[in-house]
Amino acid sequence: MWKLVIEDDEGKRTVVPLTRDEYTIGRKEGNSIRLTERNVSREHAKLSKRAGPSKDKPIFTLGDVSSYNGVYVNGL
């Protein structure tokens, strides 16, 4: 099973199993993944899954929605 690992500035990790096709990420209530840190925008990012080359290898895309601080993957 695919999972998303979110690590904050203090090294605290949150693991989210990726069972849906789409997730919204942000500080505002109602997001699929709610992060309460101040450097997270109310509507920060969207994570989407679609079919890949095989059933076992979906393609995930992460897009910045309207964040102030940007979106980083593996520190980049």
Side-chain angles (χ1 to χ4, degrees):
M1 173 184 294
W2 293 94
K3 61 185 173 182
L4 172 67
V5 180
I6 302 165
E7 186 172 331
D8 67 13
D9 294 338
E10 297 172 357
K12 180 183 171 208
R13 287 185 171 198
T14 302
V15 178
V16 180
L18 297 176
T19 57
R20 300 181 189 181
D21 289 337
E22 188 172 282
Y23 294 86
T24 57
I25 303 168
R27 202 173 70 233
K28 185 171 88 174
E29 278 196 47
N31 281 295
S32 309
I33 300 171
R34 188 165 180 239
L35 304 173
T36 57
E37 290 83 10
R38 297 288 300 153
N39 62 343
V40 175
S41 297
R42 289 176 193 86
E43 297 175 352
H44 202 95
K46 182 191 279 187
L47 179 66
S48 302
K49 177 174 77 171
R50 61 183 168 94
S54 70
K55 190 173 185 175
D56 296 341
K57 297 187 181 190
I59 295 171
F60 291 94
T61 56
L62 180 66
D64 190 318
V65 177
S66 62
S67 72
Y68 181 77
N69 292 318
V71 175
Y72 298 87
V73 176
N74 296 332
L76 303 172

